CSV table of all heavy atoms in Angstrom, one decimal:
chain,number,residue,atom,x,y,z
A,520,GLN,N,-8.0,-15.2,-1.8
A,520,GLN,CA,-7.6,-14.8,-3.2
A,520,GLN,C,-6.1,-14.5,-3.3
A,520,GLN,O,-5.5,-14.8,-4.3
A,520,GLN,CB,-8.4,-13.6,-3.6
A,520,GLN,CG,-9.9,-13.8,-3.7
A,520,GLN,CD,-10.6,-13.5,-2.4
A,520,GLN,OE1,-10.1,-13.7,-1.3
A,520,GLN,NE2,-11.8,-13.0,-2.5
A,521,VAL,N,-5.5,-13.9,-2.2
A,521,VAL,CA,-4.1,-13.7,-2.2
A,521,VAL,C,-3.3,-15.0,-2.3
A,521,VAL,O,-2.4,-15.1,-3.0
A,521,VAL,CB,-3.7,-12.8,-1.0
A,521,VAL,CG1,-2.2,-12.9,-0.8
A,521,VAL,CG2,-4.2,-11.4,-1.2
A,522,LEU,N,-3.7,-15.9,-1.4
A,522,LEU,CA,-3.0,-17.2,-1.3
A,522,LEU,C,-3.1,-18.0,-2.6
A,522,LEU,O,-2.1,-18.6,-3.1
A,522,LEU,CB,-3.4,-18.0,-0.1
A,522,LEU,CG,-3.1,-17.4,1.2
A,522,LEU,CD1,-3.6,-18.4,2.3
A,522,LEU,CD2,-1.7,-17.1,1.4
A,523,ASP,N,-4.3,-17.9,-3.2
A,523,ASP,CA,-4.5,-18.6,-4.5
A,523,ASP,C,-3.6,-17.9,-5.6
A,523,ASP,O,-3.0,-18.6,-6.4
A,523,ASP,CB,-5.9,-18.5,-5.0
A,523,ASP,CG,-6.8,-19.4,-4.1
A,523,ASP,OD1,-6.3,-20.3,-3.4
A,523,ASP,OD2,-8.1,-19.2,-4.2
A,524,GLY,N,-3.5,-16.6,-5.5
A,524,GLY,CA,-2.8,-15.8,-6.5
A,524,GLY,C,-1.3,-16.1,-6.4
A,524,GLY,O,-0.6,-16.2,-7.4
A,525,LEU,N,-0.8,-16.1,-5.2
A,525,LEU,CA,0.6,-16.4,-5.0
A,525,LEU,C,1.0,-17.8,-5.3
A,525,LEU,O,2.2,-18.1,-5.6
A,525,LEU,CB,1.0,-16.1,-3.5
A,525,LEU,CG,1.1,-14.6,-3.1
A,525,LEU,CD1,1.3,-14.5,-1.6
A,525,LEU,CD2,2.1,-13.9,-3.9
A,526,ARG,N,0.1,-18.7,-5.2
A,526,ARG,CA,0.3,-20.1,-5.5
A,526,ARG,C,1.6,-20.6,-4.8
A,526,ARG,O,2.6,-21.1,-5.3
A,526,ARG,CB,0.5,-20.3,-7.1
A,526,ARG,CG,0.4,-21.7,-7.6
A,526,ARG,CD,0.6,-21.8,-9.1
A,526,ARG,NE,1.8,-21.1,-9.5
A,526,ARG,CZ,2.2,-20.9,-10.8
A,526,ARG,NH1,1.4,-21.2,-11.7
A,526,ARG,NH2,3.3,-20.3,-11.1
A,527,VAL,N,1.4,-20.6,-3.4
A,527,VAL,CA,2.5,-20.9,-2.6
A,527,VAL,C,3.0,-22.3,-2.7
A,527,VAL,O,2.3,-23.3,-2.6
A,527,VAL,CB,2.1,-20.6,-1.1
A,527,VAL,CG1,3.3,-20.9,-0.1
A,527,VAL,CG2,1.7,-19.1,-0.9
A,528,ARG,N,4.3,-22.5,-2.9
A,528,ARG,CA,5.0,-23.8,-2.9
A,528,ARG,C,5.7,-24.0,-1.6
A,528,ARG,O,6.2,-23.1,-0.9
A,528,ARG,CB,6.1,-23.8,-4.0
A,528,ARG,CG,5.6,-23.7,-5.4
A,528,ARG,CD,6.6,-24.2,-6.4
A,528,ARG,NE,8.0,-24.2,-5.9
A,528,ARG,CZ,8.9,-23.3,-6.1
A,528,ARG,NH1,8.6,-22.3,-7.0
A,528,ARG,NH2,10.1,-23.4,-5.6
A,529,ALA,N,5.7,-25.2,-1.1
A,529,ALA,CA,6.2,-25.5,0.2
A,529,ALA,C,7.6,-25.2,0.4
A,529,ALA,O,8.1,-24.8,1.5
A,529,ALA,CB,6.0,-27.0,0.5
A,530,ASP,N,8.4,-25.2,-0.7
A,530,ASP,CA,9.9,-24.9,-0.6
A,530,ASP,C,10.2,-23.6,-1.2
A,530,ASP,O,11.4,-23.3,-1.4
A,530,ASP,CB,10.7,-26.0,-1.3
A,530,ASP,CG,10.3,-26.1,-2.8
A,530,ASP,OD1,9.3,-25.5,-3.2
A,530,ASP,OD2,11.1,-26.8,-3.5
A,531,GLY,N,9.2,-22.7,-1.4
A,531,GLY,CA,9.5,-21.4,-2.0
A,531,GLY,C,9.9,-20.3,-1.0
A,531,GLY,O,10.0,-20.5,0.2
A,532,VAL,N,10.3,-19.2,-1.6
A,532,VAL,CA,10.7,-18.0,-0.9
A,532,VAL,C,9.8,-16.9,-1.2
A,532,VAL,O,9.7,-16.5,-2.4
A,532,VAL,CB,12.2,-17.6,-1.2
A,532,VAL,CG1,12.6,-16.4,-0.4
A,532,VAL,CG2,13.2,-18.8,-1.0
A,533,TYR,N,9.1,-16.4,-0.2
A,533,TYR,CA,8.0,-15.4,-0.4
A,533,TYR,C,8.3,-14.1,0.5
A,533,TYR,O,8.8,-14.2,1.6
A,533,TYR,CB,6.7,-16.0,0.0
A,533,TYR,CG,6.3,-17.1,-1.0
A,533,TYR,CD1,6.8,-18.4,-0.7
A,533,TYR,CD2,5.7,-16.9,-2.2
A,533,TYR,CE1,6.5,-19.5,-1.6
A,533,TYR,CE2,5.4,-17.9,-3.1
A,533,TYR,CZ,5.8,-19.2,-2.8
A,533,TYR,OH,5.6,-20.2,-3.7
A,534,LEU,N,8.0,-13.0,-0.1
A,534,LEU,CA,8.1,-11.7,0.6
A,534,LEU,C,6.8,-11.1,0.8
A,534,LEU,O,6.0,-10.8,-0.1
A,534,LEU,CB,9.0,-10.8,-0.2
A,534,LEU,CG,9.1,-9.3,0.2
A,534,LEU,CD1,9.9,-9.2,1.5
A,534,LEU,CD2,9.7,-8.4,-0.8
A,535,ASP,N,6.5,-10.8,2.1
A,535,ASP,CA,5.3,-9.9,2.4
A,535,ASP,C,5.9,-8.5,2.7
A,535,ASP,O,6.5,-8.3,3.7
A,535,ASP,CB,4.6,-10.5,3.6
A,535,ASP,CG,3.4,-9.6,4.0
A,535,ASP,OD1,3.2,-8.5,3.5
A,535,ASP,OD2,2.5,-10.1,4.8
A,536,GLY,N,5.7,-7.6,1.8
A,536,GLY,CA,6.3,-6.3,1.9
A,536,GLY,C,5.6,-5.3,2.8
A,536,GLY,O,6.0,-4.2,3.0
A,537,THR,N,4.4,-5.7,3.3
A,537,THR,CA,3.5,-4.9,4.1
A,537,THR,C,3.0,-5.8,5.2
A,537,THR,O,1.8,-6.2,5.1
A,537,THR,CB,2.4,-4.2,3.3
A,537,THR,OG1,1.8,-5.2,2.4
A,537,THR,CG2,3.0,-3.1,2.4
A,538,PHE,N,3.7,-6.0,6.2
A,538,PHE,CA,3.3,-7.0,7.2
A,538,PHE,C,2.0,-6.7,7.9
A,538,PHE,O,1.1,-7.5,8.1
A,538,PHE,CB,4.4,-7.2,8.3
A,538,PHE,CG,4.1,-8.2,9.4
A,538,PHE,CD1,4.2,-9.5,9.1
A,538,PHE,CD2,3.7,-7.7,10.6
A,538,PHE,CE1,3.9,-10.4,10.1
A,538,PHE,CE2,3.4,-8.6,11.6
A,538,PHE,CZ,3.5,-10.0,11.4
A,539,GLY,N,1.8,-5.4,8.4
A,539,GLY,CA,0.6,-5.0,9.1
A,539,GLY,C,0.4,-5.8,10.3
A,539,GLY,O,1.3,-5.8,11.2
A,540,ARG,N,-0.7,-6.5,10.4
A,540,ARG,CA,-0.9,-7.4,11.5
A,540,ARG,C,-0.5,-8.8,11.3
A,540,ARG,O,-0.6,-9.7,12.1
A,540,ARG,CB,-2.4,-7.4,11.9
A,540,ARG,CG,-2.9,-6.2,12.5
A,540,ARG,CD,-4.4,-6.3,12.9
A,540,ARG,NE,-4.9,-5.1,13.6
A,540,ARG,CZ,-6.1,-4.9,14.0
A,540,ARG,NH1,-7.0,-5.8,13.7
A,540,ARG,NH2,-6.5,-3.8,14.6
A,541,GLY,N,0.0,-9.1,10.1
A,541,GLY,CA,0.5,-10.4,9.8
A,541,GLY,C,-0.4,-11.5,9.4
A,541,GLY,O,-0.1,-12.7,9.3
A,542,GLY,N,-1.7,-11.1,9.0
A,542,GLY,CA,-2.6,-12.1,8.6
A,542,GLY,C,-2.2,-12.8,7.3
A,542,GLY,O,-2.3,-14.1,7.2
A,543,HIS,N,-1.9,-12.1,6.3
A,543,HIS,CA,-1.4,-12.7,5.0
A,543,HIS,C,-0.1,-13.5,5.2
A,543,HIS,O,0.0,-14.6,4.7
A,543,HIS,CB,-1.2,-11.6,3.9
A,543,HIS,CG,-2.5,-11.0,3.4
A,543,HIS,ND1,-2.8,-9.7,3.6
A,543,HIS,CD2,-3.6,-11.6,2.8
A,543,HIS,CE1,-4.0,-9.4,3.1
A,543,HIS,NE2,-4.5,-10.6,2.6
A,544,ALA,N,0.8,-12.9,6.0
A,544,ALA,CA,2.1,-13.6,6.3
A,544,ALA,C,1.8,-14.9,6.9
A,544,ALA,O,2.5,-16.0,6.6
A,544,ALA,CB,3.0,-12.7,7.1
A,545,ALA,N,0.9,-15.0,7.9
A,545,ALA,CA,0.6,-16.3,8.6
A,545,ALA,C,0.0,-17.3,7.6
A,545,ALA,O,0.3,-18.5,7.7
A,545,ALA,CB,-0.3,-16.0,9.8
A,546,GLY,N,-0.8,-16.8,6.7
A,546,GLY,CA,-1.4,-17.7,5.7
A,546,GLY,C,-0.3,-18.3,4.8
A,546,GLY,O,-0.4,-19.5,4.4
A,547,VAL,N,0.6,-17.5,4.3
A,547,VAL,CA,1.7,-18.0,3.5
A,547,VAL,C,2.5,-19.0,4.3
A,547,VAL,O,2.9,-20.1,3.8
A,547,VAL,CB,2.6,-16.8,3.0
A,547,VAL,CG1,3.9,-17.4,2.3
A,547,VAL,CG2,1.9,-15.9,2.1
A,548,LEU,N,2.9,-18.6,5.5
A,548,LEU,CA,3.7,-19.5,6.4
A,548,LEU,C,3.0,-20.8,6.6
A,548,LEU,O,3.7,-21.9,6.7
A,548,LEU,CB,3.9,-18.8,7.7
A,548,LEU,CG,5.1,-19.4,8.6
A,548,LEU,CD1,6.4,-19.3,7.9
A,548,LEU,CD2,5.1,-18.6,9.9
A,549,ALA,N,1.7,-20.9,6.7
A,549,ALA,CA,1.0,-22.1,7.0
A,549,ALA,C,1.2,-23.1,5.8
A,549,ALA,O,1.0,-24.3,6.0
A,549,ALA,CB,-0.5,-21.8,7.2
A,550,GLN,N,1.5,-22.6,4.6
A,550,GLN,CA,1.7,-23.4,3.5
A,550,GLN,C,3.1,-23.8,3.1
A,550,GLN,O,3.4,-24.5,2.2
A,550,GLN,CB,1.0,-22.8,2.2
A,550,GLN,CG,-0.5,-22.6,2.4
A,550,GLN,CD,-1.2,-22.1,1.1
A,550,GLN,OE1,-0.7,-22.3,0.0
A,550,GLN,NE2,-2.4,-21.6,1.3
A,551,LEU,N,4.0,-23.2,3.9
A,551,LEU,CA,5.5,-23.5,3.7
A,551,LEU,C,5.9,-24.7,4.5
A,551,LEU,O,5.4,-25.0,5.6
A,551,LEU,CB,6.3,-22.3,4.1
A,551,LEU,CG,6.2,-21.0,3.3
A,551,LEU,CD1,7.1,-19.9,3.9
A,551,LEU,CD2,6.5,-21.3,1.8
A,552,GLY,N,6.8,-25.5,3.9
A,552,GLY,CA,7.4,-26.6,4.6
A,552,GLY,C,8.7,-26.1,5.3
A,552,GLY,O,9.0,-24.9,5.4
A,553,ASP,N,9.5,-27.1,5.8
A,553,ASP,CA,10.7,-26.7,6.6
A,553,ASP,C,11.7,-26.1,5.7
A,553,ASP,O,12.6,-25.4,6.2
A,553,ASP,CB,11.3,-28.0,7.2
A,553,ASP,CG,10.4,-28.5,8.3
A,553,ASP,OD1,9.6,-27.8,8.9
A,553,ASP,OD2,10.4,-29.8,8.6
A,554,ASP,N,11.7,-26.3,4.4
A,554,ASP,CA,12.6,-25.7,3.5
A,554,ASP,C,12.2,-24.4,2.9
A,554,ASP,O,12.9,-23.7,2.1
A,554,ASP,CB,13.0,-26.7,2.3
A,554,ASP,CG,13.7,-27.9,2.8
A,554,ASP,OD1,14.4,-27.8,3.8
A,554,ASP,OD2,13.4,-29.0,2.2
A,555,GLY,N,11.0,-23.9,3.2
A,555,GLY,CA,10.4,-22.7,2.7
A,555,GLY,C,11.0,-21.5,3.5
A,555,GLY,O,11.5,-21.6,4.6
A,556,ARG,N,10.8,-20.3,2.9
A,556,ARG,CA,11.3,-19.1,3.6
A,556,ARG,C,10.2,-18.0,3.4
A,556,ARG,O,9.6,-17.8,2.4
A,556,ARG,CB,12.6,-18.6,3.0
A,556,ARG,CG,13.8,-19.4,3.3
A,556,ARG,CD,14.5,-19.0,4.6
A,556,ARG,NE,15.2,-17.8,4.4
A,556,ARG,CZ,15.7,-17.0,5.4
A,556,ARG,NH1,15.4,-17.3,6.6
A,556,ARG,NH2,16.4,-15.9,5.1
A,557,LEU,N,10.0,-17.2,4.5
A,557,LEU,CA,9.1,-16.1,4.5
A,557,LEU,C,9.9,-14.9,4.9
A,557,LEU,O,10.5,-14.8,6.0
A,557,LEU,CB,7.9,-16.3,5.4
A,557,LEU,CG,7.0,-15.1,5.6
A,557,LEU,CD1,6.4,-14.7,4.2
A,557,LEU,CD2,6.0,-15.3,6.6
A,558,LEU,N,10.0,-13.9,4.0
A,558,LEU,CA,10.6,-12.6,4.3
A,558,LEU,C,9.6,-11.6,4.6
A,558,LEU,O,8.6,-11.4,3.8
A,558,LEU,CB,11.5,-12.2,3.1
A,558,LEU,CG,12.4,-13.2,2.5
A,558,LEU,CD1,13.2,-12.6,1.3
A,558,LEU,CD2,13.3,-13.8,3.6
A,559,VAL,N,9.7,-10.8,5.7
A,559,VAL,CA,8.7,-9.9,6.1
A,559,VAL,C,9.4,-8.5,6.1
A,559,VAL,O,10.4,-8.3,6.7
A,559,VAL,CB,8.2,-10.2,7.5
A,559,VAL,CG1,7.4,-9.1,8.1
A,559,VAL,CG2,7.4,-11.5,7.4
A,560,MET,N,8.7,-7.5,5.5
A,560,MET,CA,9.1,-6.1,5.6
A,560,MET,C,7.9,-5.2,6.0
A,560,MET,O,6.8,-5.6,5.8
A,560,MET,CB,9.5,-5.6,4.2
A,560,MET,CG,10.7,-6.3,3.6
A,560,MET,SD,11.2,-5.5,2.0
A,560,MET,CE,11.9,-4.0,2.6
A,561,ASP,N,8.2,-4.1,6.6
A,561,ASP,CA,7.2,-3.1,6.9
A,561,ASP,C,8.0,-1.8,7.2
A,561,ASP,O,9.0,-1.9,7.9
A,561,ASP,CB,6.3,-3.4,8.0
A,561,ASP,CG,4.9,-2.7,7.9
A,561,ASP,OD1,4.9,-1.5,7.9
A,561,ASP,OD2,3.9,-3.4,7.6
A,562,LYS,N,7.5,-0.6,6.8
A,562,LYS,CA,8.2,0.6,7.2
A,562,LYS,C,7.7,1.1,8.6
A,562,LYS,O,8.3,2.0,9.1
A,562,LYS,CB,7.9,1.7,6.1
A,562,LYS,CG,6.4,2.1,6.0
A,562,LYS,CD,6.3,3.3,5.1
A,562,LYS,CE,6.7,3.1,3.7
A,562,LYS,NZ,6.4,4.3,2.8
A,563,ASP,N,6.7,0.4,9.1
A,563,ASP,CA,6.2,0.8,10.4
A,563,ASP,C,6.9,0.0,11.5
A,563,ASP,O,6.8,-1.2,11.6
A,563,ASP,CB,4.7,0.5,10.5
A,563,ASP,CG,4.0,1.0,11.7
A,563,ASP,OD1,4.7,1.2,12.8
A,563,ASP,OD2,2.8,1.2,11.7
A,564,PRO,N,7.6,0.7,12.4
A,564,PRO,CA,8.4,0.0,13.5
A,564,PRO,C,7.5,-0.8,14.4
A,564,PRO,O,7.9,-1.9,14.9
A,564,PRO,CB,9.0,1.2,14.3
A,564,PRO,CG,9.0,2.3,13.4
A,564,PRO,CD,7.8,2.2,12.5
A,565,THR,N,6.2,-0.4,14.6
A,565,THR,CA,5.3,-1.1,15.4
A,565,THR,C,5.0,-2.5,14.8
A,565,THR,O,4.9,-3.5,15.5
A,565,THR,CB,4.0,-0.3,15.7
A,565,THR,OG1,4.3,0.9,16.2
A,565,THR,CG2,3.1,-1.1,16.6
A,566,ALA,N,4.8,-2.5,13.5
A,566,ALA,CA,4.5,-3.7,12.8
A,566,ALA,C,5.7,-4.7,12.8
A,566,ALA,O,5.5,-5.9,13.0
A,566,ALA,CB,4.1,-3.5,11.3
A,567,ILE,N,6.9,-4.1,12.7
A,567,ILE,CA,8.1,-4.9,12.8
A,567,ILE,C,8.2,-5.5,14.2
A,567,ILE,O,8.6,-6.7,14.3
A,567,ILE,CB,9.3,-4.1,12.4
A,567,ILE,CG1,9.3,-3.8,10.9
A,567,ILE,CG2,10.6,-4.8,12.7
A,567,ILE,CD1,9.3,-5.0,10.0
A,568,ALA,N,8.0,-4.8,15.2
A,568,ALA,CA,8.0,-5.3,16.6
A,568,ALA,C,7.1,-6.4,16.8
A,568,ALA,O,7.4,-7.4,17.4
A,568,ALA,CB,7.8,-4.2,17.6
Side-chain angles (χ1 to χ4, degrees):
Q520 296 92 324
V521 164
L522 294 182
D523 289 344
L525 288 174
R526 197 178 54 187
V527 179
R528 297 198 339 256
D530 60 349
V532 180
Y533 296 87
L534 170 72
D535 183 345
T537 46
F538 179 77
R540 286 183 177 174
H543 290 114
V547 172
L548 194 60
Q550 297 189 20
L551 294 180
D553 292 335
D554 295 328
R556 289 272 284 167
L557 174 63
L558 311 181
V559 168
M560 299 184 73
D561 205 297
K562 64 171 66 173
D563 187 338
T565 303
I567 291 299

